[in-house]
């Protein structure tokens, strides 16, 4: 009998796909965005897909029916970019998503699963967000869970992307304490691990550029600069510190992703949730990435269906937990059930 999962803040189903491949069965998945819910339905992610505000869900009815609760509450309240938005407050005070982490733990309180997996951006651990981190610890203790947490790099689990994420796993105290799955990859393949999976490894068979793509101008007004940037570099290539003879930018004066270009020789940097004309990563052939490419960078199957237009599909993939990362944790979680 397969272990049963309830999925919150499911997005297009990255966590769910990883757990499904590890033999779990999702009985309910939910998201507030109708486009993401359509993707969940297109891929038969769960027995039931509920599209709506998590605050309005009756979760008590799932008590005793679920082994694991999984979910990644919306991350903007805890992102690094929030530090640059002086007119916006982060954490629990965020006007759009500050409620999400407390709602996640309302679910834990009302369902009392054997285990839970909570995912967010690495910024969740910053001292700036002391209140949410303490809340997670207090809730786990009150509800009778041992928690294990740290920031992991998805590339160390075979994902072709150096994507850092906060993962917290809770086990009912009578079960024990969770041990994180052993990392399978590293940058140089040290200590018995494989070397990181690179962009070239997963994109070489579609390393082309169409006539239509040649007419596009990634980087917008800075397109000509993008053409000069070597693969694996960004706008810092044009700084005095990097030895450029005619510096155009001051050191760290822009977002890291400004004019960022992939290289086939290493994993991608984090795929962002919003598509941009001048924020990368861009392809080393000086073009925008395709949806099929960011799906591979995020380890979605090629035939995984996405609802919506181009930008909506990009947002879904960029927001997702890489299924390969989810699979590694799901395989480890099985050992405790």
């Amino acid at each position: 009998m397969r272990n049963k999962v309830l999925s919150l803040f499911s997005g297009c189903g990255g966590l769910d796909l990883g757990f499904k491949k590890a033999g779990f069965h999702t009985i309910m998945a939910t998201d507030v965005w109708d486009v993401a819910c359509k993707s969940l339905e297109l891929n038969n992610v769960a027995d039931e897909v509920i599209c709506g505000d998590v605050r309005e869900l009756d979760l008590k009815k799932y008590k005793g029916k679920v082994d694991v609760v999984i979910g990644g509450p919306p991350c903007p309240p805890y992102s690094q970019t929030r530090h640059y938005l002086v007119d916006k407050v982060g954490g629990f005070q965020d006007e759009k998503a500050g409620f999400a982490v407390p709602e996640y733990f309302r679910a834990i309180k009302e369902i009392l699963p054997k285990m839970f997996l909570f995912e967010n951006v690495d910024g969740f651990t910053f001292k700036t967000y002391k209140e949410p981190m303490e809340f997670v610890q207090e809730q786990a203790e009150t509800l009778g869970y041992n928690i294990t947490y740290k920031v992991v790099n998805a590339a160390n689990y075979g994902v072709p992307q150096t994507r850092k994420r906060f993962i917290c796993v809770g086990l009912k105290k009578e079960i024990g304490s969770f041990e994180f799955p052993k990392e399978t990859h590293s940058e140089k393949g040290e200590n018995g691990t494989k070397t990181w999976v690179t962009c070239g490894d997963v994109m070489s068979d579609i390393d082309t550029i169409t006539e239509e793509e040649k007419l596009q101008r990634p980087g917008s007004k800075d397109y000509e600069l993008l053409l000069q940037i070597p693969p694996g570099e960004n706008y810092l290539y044009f700084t005095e510190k990097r030895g450029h003879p005619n510096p155009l930018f001051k050191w760290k004066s822009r977002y890291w992703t400004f004019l960022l270009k992939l290289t086939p020789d290493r994993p991608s940097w984090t795929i962002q949730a919003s598509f941009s004309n001048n924020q990368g990563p861009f392809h080393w052939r000086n073009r925008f990435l395709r949806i099929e490419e960011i799906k591979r960078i995020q380890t979605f199957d090629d035939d995984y269906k996405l609802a919506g237009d181009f930008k909506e599909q990009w947002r879904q993939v960029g927001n997702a937990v890489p299924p390969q990362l989810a699979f590694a944790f799901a395989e480890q979680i099985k050992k405790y059930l």
Side-chain angles (χ1 to χ4, degrees):
M1 186 174 180
R2 290 187 292 174
N3 293 301
K4 294 180 180 179
V5 170
L6 185 141
S7 173
L8 301 170
F9 311 104
S10 307
C12 67
L15 265 176
D16 302 270
L17 178 57
F19 271 75
K20 182 178 181 179
K21 289 188 173 185
F24 287 78
H25 181 73
T26 302
I27 65 168
M28 192 276 276
T30 182
D31 201 87
V32 73
W33 188 23
D34 59 340
V35 177
C37 291
K38 181 63 176 177
S39 293
L40 295 173
E41 292 169 349
L42 287 172
N43 295 283
N44 298 312
V45 163
D47 294 339
E48 178 184 25
V49 174
I50 300 178
C51 196
D53 192 323
V54 68
R55 291 170 288 188
E56 299 173 2
L57 295 185
D58 175 14
L59 298 170
K60 294 186 179 71
K61 64 182 181 180
Y62 297 103
K63 186 175 181 179
K65 300 178 180 179
V66 173
D67 298 297
V68 187
V69 169
I70 62 175
C75 61
Y78 314 102
S79 68
Q80 294 186 38
T81 56
R82 183 51 60 97
H83 294 292
Y84 298 98
L85 303 176
V86 295
D87 59 331
K88 289 191 176 183
V89 181
F92 286 175
Q93 287 69 48
D94 180 87
E95 59 185 18
K96 288 188 176 181
F99 67 87
V101 173
E103 279 298 306
Y104 181 95
F105 280 93
R106 174 176 75 87
I108 303 304
K109 180 178 180 180
E110 295 183 0
I111 298 171
L112 290 175
K114 297 173 184 175
M115 301 180 66
F116 65 82
L117 183 146
F118 172 95
E119 179 269 348
N120 217 281
V121 291
D122 59 341
F124 195 85
T125 63
F126 293 176
K127 292 181 180 179
T128 314
Y129 305 123
K130 184 179 178 181
E131 179 189 14
M133 190 70 244
E134 290 181 345
F135 176 83
V136 169
Q137 294 168 327
E138 291 168 0
Q139 287 292 301
E141 179 63 29
T142 300
L143 298 174
Y145 291 88
N146 291 322
I147 59 172
T148 307
Y149 58 86
K150 67 177 179 179
V151 172
V152 302
N153 185 345
N156 292 340
Y157 290 96
V159 178
Q161 182 183 185
T162 49
R163 187 183 186 97
K164 293 183 178 180
R165 285 299 184 267
F166 170 77
I167 303 285
C168 174
V169 178
L171 276 69
K172 292 294 289 183
K173 290 190 174 182
E174 58 266 28
I175 299 177
S177 296
F178 184 73
E179 182 177 336
F180 270 49
K182 185 178 180 180
E183 294 179 345
T184 54
H185 294 68
S186 62
E187 184 173 8
K188 298 180 180 180
E190 299 171 325
N191 300 319
T193 61
K194 301 176 183 178
T195 56
W196 280 345
V197 180
T198 68
C199 291
D201 291 333
V202 298
M203 293 163 57
S204 60
D205 63 321
I206 46 177
D207 181 10
T208 60
I209 182 167
T210 66
E211 291 302 316
E212 181 181 356
E213 287 169 334
K214 289 178 182 178
L215 299 176
Q216 297 171 350
R217 296 179 63 87
S220 297
K221 64 182 180 63
D222 297 304
Y223 174 68
E224 297 299 328
L225 298 182
L226 182 68
L227 296 179
Q228 300 175 53
I229 294 175
E233 299 275 1
N234 63 357
Y235 79 98
L236 294 175
Y237 173 75
F238 292 104
T239 61
E240 182 180 6
K241 190 170 183 178
R242 286 286 173 85
H244 198 277
N246 299 300
L248 299 176
F249 302 103
K250 292 183 178 179
W251 187 255
K252 293 188 177 180
S253 59
R254 302 289 187 96
Y255 285 130
W256 163 256
T257 52
F258 181 57
L259 302 182
L260 178 62
K261 189 184 295 186
L262 295 180
T263 170
D265 300 326
R266 63 151 281 152
S268 170
W269 290 273
T270 299
I271 299 297
Q272 305 292 328
S274 58
F275 175 79
S276 171
N277 285 328
N278 58 20
Q279 303 293 323
F282 300 106
H283 195 279
W284 51 86
R285 286 183 179 267
N286 304 306
R287 62 169 173 79
F288 293 114
L289 292 174
R290 305 163 186 159
I291 295 298
E292 64 180 325
E293 289 169 332
I294 64 170
K295 281 171 66 177
R296 290 189 180 187
I297 290 170
Q298 279 279 63
T299 66
F300 279 92
D301 298 334
D302 285 351
D303 60 358
Y304 198 82
K305 302 177 181 69
L306 295 169
D309 60 25
F310 177 86
K311 289 189 176 181
E312 289 169 332
Q313 292 184 13
W314 187 290
R315 176 181 164 191
Q316 291 175 77
V317 178
N319 268 330
V321 176
Q324 174 61 32
L325 178 63
F327 174 79
F329 276 84
E331 283 283 280
Q332 186 76 350
I333 283 171
K334 278 199 303 187
K335 299 175 182 178
Y336 295 85
L337 293 172

